[in-house]
C-alpha cells in the first residue's frame, strides 16, 4: 500500500508492481493531478525513466537543454558553463531533461494504471496500525484496508512519518521561492534558448529553463527573507508578485524584465529537516518512507524529484527479492533503507552547501566566481551524483 499519489508515490507503486506485487495507492485529493512548474531531471533520474520505458515520452514532452550556464545576477555576465546535450548523454548514458511536473506525473500515472496499480482517491491516510504479519490503514472513509507493507509517500508534512519516527514537523527557513511560467512567444529572443541558467547574487539566486517542449519558460527566484508567522503559500498566493517586486534586490535588466513579464507567481517558504542520520529514519518494520516524507531537501541541487524516483527504483529492487514468504518484507524494506540513506543524506548536505554558495557575498562570492571562471565544468559537473543510482 502506498500513501500519496504524487511523483514519488506513483513511481513506488509502479516499481512495486513491476516487482510482482499488487499495489494500492491512497490519495487524499478527489482527483489525481500535479500542480507546480518545472523540474530538472539529471541523468541519474532519466536513466530510471528509461528502465521504466518512459524516457521517449518524457523527451517528447520536456526539453533536453544543451548546457547549464552560471551567470552573475547583478551584472548578467557569464561565470561558468557545463555542457549537456549529447555530451552529457555520452558521459552518463542518459540525457539531462527539464519537464513540467504535471507532465512527469501524467506519464507515471499512465504507466502505473497500465501495470495494474489500483488508485483510491478521496482517501486520506490518517494513521497506520502495524502487526507482526500486516499493516492496516486508518482512513477518513469507513474502510480499513490491510496489506503486507506500507510506503509513506505523503510529502513534506507527512503525518505517517510523525507516527513512525515520533519527530517534529519540518522547520521553516529564511529562504522563499517564487515560481512562475511564461510563454516563450512573449519573451525576447535572448530567453528562447535550450539551456538552464542559474543567476547568482548576494542573498538570492534565480533559475530559468524551458519546459512544455520549449513552449514555456520556467523561472524561480530564491530570496532570503525573514519568516512571517502563520503565512500561507502556494500557487494561489495573491500577493506573491507584489512581494517579489518589492523585495527583489538589485539585479540585471534581463531579470528585471522577466519579472514583469511573468503573469502570476506562486510563493513557498522552504522548510528543512536534518540530513538522514541512518536507515532507521527511512524504514521500520513494515513501513518505509519515500521522497520528501523521508528526506526533504533544498532545491539547490535540483534533485528532489530525482531522489524520489531513485527511492522508488531501489524499493522495487528490494521487493523483487521477497519470495512467497511475506515475513521477509521487513528485511526487504530495511535493505531498501540501507541502500538509500547515505546517498540521500549526501544530496541533502550538498543542497544546503549550495544555498550558501549560490547566495554568497564578499570574499566567498569572489572565490566562487573565480572557481567558476577558471574551472567551469570541473566544479559544475557532478559525476558522483549523475553517474549513481541504478
Amino acid at each position: 500500500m502506498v500513501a500519496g499519489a504524487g511523483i514519488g508515490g506513483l513511481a513506488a507503486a509502479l516499481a512495486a508492481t513491476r516487482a510482482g506485487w499488487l499495489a494500492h495507492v491512497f490519495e487524499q485529493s478527489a482527483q489525481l493531478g500535479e500542480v507546480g512548474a518545472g523540474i530538472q531531471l539529471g541523468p541519474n533520474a532519466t536513466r530510471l525513466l528509461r528502465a521504466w520505458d518512459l524516457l521517449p515520452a518524457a523527451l517528447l514532452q520536456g526539453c533536453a537543454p544543451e548546457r547549464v550556464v552560471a551567470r552573475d545576477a547583478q551584472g548578467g555576465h557569464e561565470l561558468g558553463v557545463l555542457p549537456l546535450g549529447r555530451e552529457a548523454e555520452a558521459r552518463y548514458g542518459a540525457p539531462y531533461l527539464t519537464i513540467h511536473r504535471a507532465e512527469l506525473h501524467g506519464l507515471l500515472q499512465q504507466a502505473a494504471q497500465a501495470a495494474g496499480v489500483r488508485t483510491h482517491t478521496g482517501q486520506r491516510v490518517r494513521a497506520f496500525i502495524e502487526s507482526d504479519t500486516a499493516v492496516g490503514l486508518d482512513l477518513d472513509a469507513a474502510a480499513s484496508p490491510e496489506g503486507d507493507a506500507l510506503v509513506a509517500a505523503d510529502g513534506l508534512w507527512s503525518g505517517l512519518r510523525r507516527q513512525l519516527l515520533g519527530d517534529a514537523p519540518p522547520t521553516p527557513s529564511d529562504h522563499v521561492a517564487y515560481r512562475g511560467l511564461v510563454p516563450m512567444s512573449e519573451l525576447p529572443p535572448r530567453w528562447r534558448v535550450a539551456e538552464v541558467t542559474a543567476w547568482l547574487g548576494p542573498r538570492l539566486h534565480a533559475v530559468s529553463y524551458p519546459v512544455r517542449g520549449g513552449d514555456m519558460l520556467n523561472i524561480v527566484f530564491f530570496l532570503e527573507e525573514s519568516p512571517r508567522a502563520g503565512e500561507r503559500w502556494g500557487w494561489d498566493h495573491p500577493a506573491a508578485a507584489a512581494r517579489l517586486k518589492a523585495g527583489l534586490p538589485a539585479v540585471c535588466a534581463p531579470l528585471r524584465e522577466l519579472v514583469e513579464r511573468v503573469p502570476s507567481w506562486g510563493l513557498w517558504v522552504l522548510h528543512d529537516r536534518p540530513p538522514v542520520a541512518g536507515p532507521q529514519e527511512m524504514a521500520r518494520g513494515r513501513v518505509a518512507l519515500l521522497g520528501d516524507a523521508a528526506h526533504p531537501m533544498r532545491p539547490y541541487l535540483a534533485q528532489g524529484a530525482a531522489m524520489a524516483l531513485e527511492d522508488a527504483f531501489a524499493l522495487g529492487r528490494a521487493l523483487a527479492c521477497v519470495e512467497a514468504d511475506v515475513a521477509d518484507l521487513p528485511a526487504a524494506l530495511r535493505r531498501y533503507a540501507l541502500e538509500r540513506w547515505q546517498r540521500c543524506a549526501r544530496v541533502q548536505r550538498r543542497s544546503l552547501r549550495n544555498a550558501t554558495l549560490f547566495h554568497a557575498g564578499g570574499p566567498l562570492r569572489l572565490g566562487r566566481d573565480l572557481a567558476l571562471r577558471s574551472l567551469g565544468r570541473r566544479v559544475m559537473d557532478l559525476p558522483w551524483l549523475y553517474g549513481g543510482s541504478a
Side-chain angles (χ1 to χ4, degrees), residues 41-200:
L41 297 175
N44 56 311
T46 58
R47 191 178 300 117
L48 307 183
L49 296 184
R50 175 176 287 151
W52 289 326
D53 303 318
L54 298 179
L55 184 56
L59 287 169
L60 284 175
Q61 297 189 40
C63 297
E66 293 297 322
R67 61 180 194 160
V68 175
V69 184
R71 293 186 178 275
D72 184 275
Q74 293 178 322
H77 52 277
E78 186 177 289
L79 298 173
V81 174
L82 173 65
L84 296 176
R86 292 181 179 178
E87 188 170 335
E89 189 161 5
R91 286 199 304 273
Y92 298 117
Y96 197 105
L97 179 67
T98 59
I99 190 170
H100 195 283
R101 294 186 66 92
E103 292 170 339
L104 177 60
H105 186 270
L107 292 176
L108 289 167
Q109 181 182 345
Q110 293 171 15
Q113 289 175 342
V117 172
R118 300 180 183 179
T119 304
H120 311 269
T121 56
Q123 302 286 342
R124 183 173 68 94
V125 181
R126 296 186 294 194
F128 63 86
I129 306 96
E130 187 179 5
S131 69
D132 290 339
T133 58
V135 57
L137 301 184
D138 178 12
L139 302 177
D140 281 338
S144 299
E146 194 173 78
D148 298 309
L150 170 65
V151 177
D154 50 342
L156 176 67
W157 303 100
S158 171
L160 299 179
R161 176 195 172 102
R162 289 197 296 274
Q163 181 183 351
L164 184 68
L165 304 184
D167 59 2
T171 56
S173 73
D174 61 349
H175 285 214
V176 175
Y178 297 84
R179 303 180 190 273
L181 288 163
V182 60
M184 286 287 193
S185 60
E186 298 181 9
L187 293 173
R190 63 172 169 264
W191 288 102
R192 303 175 199 171
V193 290
E195 63 186 37
V196 178
T197 306
W199 309 77
L200 311 180

Side-chain angles (χ1 to χ4, degrees), residues 339-357:
E339 178 181 341
R340 292 298 299 152
W341 80 269
Q342 289 177 306
R343 179 168 170 86
C344 293
R346 184 178 185 183
V347 174
Q348 285 177 298
R349 289 192 296 269
R350 186 62 178 262
S351 299
L352 284 170
R353 174 176 174 265
N354 280 357
T356 300
L357 290 176

Side-chain angles (χ1 to χ4, degrees), residues 267-340:
L267 181 151
W268 283 264
V269 176
L270 302 186
H271 286 68
D272 285 328
R273 287 191 183 278
V276 182
Q280 72 282 357
E281 293 190 2
M282 290 193 66
R284 295 184 184 184
R286 293 178 176 270
V287 181
L289 302 177
L290 185 145
D292 283 349
H295 43 69
M297 57 189 65
R298 299 281 182 98
Y300 300 160
L301 204 56
Q303 283 290 310
M307 288 298 105
L309 295 177
E310 284 192 16
D311 286 350
F313 198 87
L315 177 70
R317 189 159 46 210
L319 291 175
C321 296
V322 180
E323 301 296 339
D325 185 2
V326 295
D328 292 337
L329 260 174
L333 296 185
R334 179 165 176 79
R335 189 180 304 120
Y336 152 77
L338 285 167
E339 178 181 341
R340 292 298 299 152

Side-chain angles (χ1 to χ4, degrees), residues 198-221:
W199 309 77
L200 311 180
R203 297 177 59 84
L204 74 100
H205 81 283
V207 181
S208 60
Y209 51 83
V211 294
R212 301 283 196 194
D215 291 338
M216 303 286 288
L217 183 73
N218 181 85
I219 178 73
V220 53
F221 279 85

